[in-house]
Amino acid sequence: MTKKHIRTSIFLVIMVLCSYGCNSESPTAKEATKMSINKEAFGTTPDGKAVDLYTLTNANGLKAEIMTYGGIVTKLQAPDRNGNFADIVLGFDSLDEYIKGHPYFGAIIGRYANRIAKGKFTIDGTEYTLATNNGRNHLHGGIKGFDKVVWNAKELKTEQAVGVELSYRSGDGEEGYPGNLSCIVTYTLTNDNELKIGYEAETDKPTIVNLTNHSYFNLAGHDSGSILGHELMLNADRYTLADDELIPTGEIKSVKGTPLDFTKPMAIGSRIEQVKGGYDHNYVINNLDGSLTLAASVYEPKTGRVLEAFTTQPGVQLYTGGFLDGSNKGKGAVYNKYNGFCLETQHFPDSPNKPAFPSVVLKPGEKYTQLTIYKFSVR
Ligand code: BGC
């Protein structure tokens, strides 16, 4: 045998051993090889900040794309009952389209999700005035909320999940809020087909905080039109009654006998004509002890896709996209009224001015932590 033959034989033996090694790999190791995190440049903000896009892929091929501008979930690819993947969140292809303005597609909302009446609240006798951006009220963190800032990012990988940890330090006085607030929002895509969103915050002065994610879902595919045929179950017997400006009156009412009742699965469109502008209501989840609870479950009959939302938060805003008017065109689609729905897990709107609602005050030395899980499956 020549030296060349010997080298070839050694190479072949190694190849055979390797392939045996691969075949005897544990399922976990196999899964780990399919999971990936990819980072790419996604553009630059007008003030010169570089924005990155992270693509998380789990072992089953589910993909979540998340960018550092606004912590926005730009795409979410999930399979239907035949294994066909579709992108099930509304959004755009480019950073510029997000920067031009949009109704919070996929974004992290902070410091305060939903409305604070007249942008005013008081802590320990000091009144604070926030930026007003929804008539005379404060909405979703103000003029430049957490949906419009660039977050720092760190990749995370475990045997069962891939993720990205986003962090942002909001300075004392930003949009009128007291205290320097350090926030961490962690997106994790698990091999159980869950998108987990963990929220953490700490402050150096007494302040208020209420973080959420504003993804608009359409389980038939973001470009497939109306969501009115989706069947929704909400684990909520009550909701917070609101006035014409969508500010809670303070009264908590039963959904029984009203078109707001989703305690049993019902098509979103079954009674929507009785609700002016569609659903835009904060539901009180049937569990206020802060433990992780099923808040909502949605089933799309044509594709079989199911979304379940679990949360530690006391409330969930059901918003059925009543303000979408066709002016937002994204990823090749035109988004019209009722083309997406949001399940924004949150503390109740205007809690800082409603002493009977669960408190949203965060003090130095305390840690704000919340968890929401969107779990995808098929039926
Ligand atoms: C609010 C709506 C608002 C929408 C988009 C929802 O969270 O409840 O009133 O129009 O966000 O801005």
Side-chain angles (χ1 to χ4, degrees):
M1 243 202 262
T2 65
K3 265 193 188 161
K4 194 176 167 203
H5 280 128
I6 295 172
R7 258 189 268 129
T8 314
S9 311
I10 293 174
F11 176 74
L12 285 172
V13 170
I14 291 173
M15 289 294 285
V16 169
L17 287 177
C18 273
S19 69
Y20 270 114
C22 292
N23 287 341
S24 61
E25 233 178 357
S26 70
T28 321
K30 265 193 195 161
E31 287 185 351
T33 58
K34 292 191 211 149
M35 295 154 61
S36 65
I37 307 177
N38 181 58
K39 175 186 169 185
E40 62 191 286
F42 198 57
T44 310
T45 62
D47 58 347
K49 293 202 178 81
V51 174
D52 292 320
L53 180 74
Y54 287 83
T55 304
L56 310 177
T57 308
N58 79 0
N60 314 314
L62 253 84
K63 267 187 210 298
E65 295 188 18
I66 294 154
M67 68 161 154
T68 52
Y69 177 80
I72 293 174
V73 179
T74 59
K75 282 188 189 154
L76 191 55
Q77 312 263 5
D80 67 7
R81 61 163 83 85
N82 300 316
N84 298 318
F85 281 77
D87 179 5
I88 57 166
V89 292
L90 278 54
F92 302 104
D93 282 319
S94 69
L95 177 63
D96 288 351
E97 289 164 287
Y98 283 101
I99 287 176
K100 265 190 228 143
H102 64 105
Y104 304 93
F105 286 158
I108 297 172
I109 307 295
R111 293 188 188 189
Y112 199 93
N114 214 285
R115 293 172 178 81
I116 296 177
K118 300 181 193 122
K120 291 201 187 293
F121 67 97
T122 301
I123 302 182
D124 300 335
T126 307
E127 187 183 72
Y128 295 96
T129 302
L130 302 172
T132 48
N133 57 329
N134 189 241
R136 57 185 182 153
N137 302 314
H138 176 86
L139 174 67
H140 293 334
I143 294 161
K144 189 174 179 187
F146 288 1
D147 58 295
K148 295 181 189 70
V149 302
V150 178
W151 295 67
N152 294 315
K154 204 167 90 185
E155 294 179 16
L156 301 171
K157 197 166 181 181
T158 66
E159 282 197 345
Q160 283 304 321
V162 277
V164 57
E165 180 190 283
L166 301 177
S167 56
Y168 176 67
R169 184 178 173 279
S170 171
D172 190 7
E174 196 173 291
E175 299 298 304
Y177 289 100
N180 292 296
L181 189 76
S182 301
C183 301
I184 296 181
V185 176
T186 309
Y187 285 102
T188 338
L189 186 64
T190 73
N191 289 341
D192 289 331
N193 295 351
E194 300 161 320
L195 181 65
K196 290 189 175 181
I197 315 177
Y199 302 91
E200 287 172 29
E202 285 177 291
T203 182
D204 59 3
K205 270 188 200 166
T207 192
I208 56 169
V209 61
N210 182 25
L211 307 179
T212 194
N213 174 276
H214 207 302
S215 287
Y216 288 66
F217 297 98
N218 186 329
L219 300 182
H222 76 99
D223 51 357
S224 62
S226 170
I227 48 88
L228 297 183
H230 287 50
E231 289 167 20
L232 168 69
M233 188 286 298
L234 287 174
N235 179 22
D237 296 336
R238 299 178 301 155
Y239 70 104
T240 52
L241 182 71
D243 65 17
D244 289 348
E245 290 175 88
L246 298 176
I247 302 292
T249 62
E251 194 182 342
I252 294 184
K253 289 193 79 165
S254 167
V255 295
K256 223 179 167 146
T258 78
L260 302 187
D261 189 351
F262 285 98
T263 50
K264 300 211 170 55
M266 291 282 247
I268 293 178
S270 58
R271 296 151 299 165
I272 202 163
E273 271 146 34
Q274 300 169 47
V275 184
K276 199 173 143 228
Y279 296 96
D280 193 358
H281 294 79
N282 173 64
Y283 284 79
V284 178
I285 300 168
N286 291 335
N287 174 21
L288 294 178
D289 69 7
S291 59
L292 193 67
T293 306
L294 179 72
S297 169
V298 191
Y299 168 64
E300 200 290 302
K302 291 194 293 285
T303 59
R305 288 195 186 90
V306 174
L307 160 63
E308 289 166 297
F310 300 86
T311 191
T312 54
Q313 301 260 28
V316 61
Q317 186 84 14
L318 169 64
Y319 171 56
T320 48
F323 293 112
L324 295 174
D325 58 5
S327 58
N328 293 117
K329 300 176 181 64
K331 301 188 285 193
V334 179
Y335 300 129
N336 283 303
K337 192 171 178 177
Y338 304 149
N339 284 184
F341 67 90
C342 305
L343 291 168
E344 301 153 69
T345 56
Q346 61 185 9
H347 269 66
F348 308 163
D350 203 33
S351 295
N353 297 308
K354 300 288 177 321
F357 287 178
S359 172
V360 289
V361 173
L362 183 71
K363 298 204 166 121
E366 294 175 347
K367 193 166 186 175
Y368 166 91
T369 52
Q370 297 290 347
L371 174 66
T372 291
I373 301 179
Y374 294 117
K375 185 175 167 77
F376 303 96
S377 58
V378 288
R379 241 168 50 205

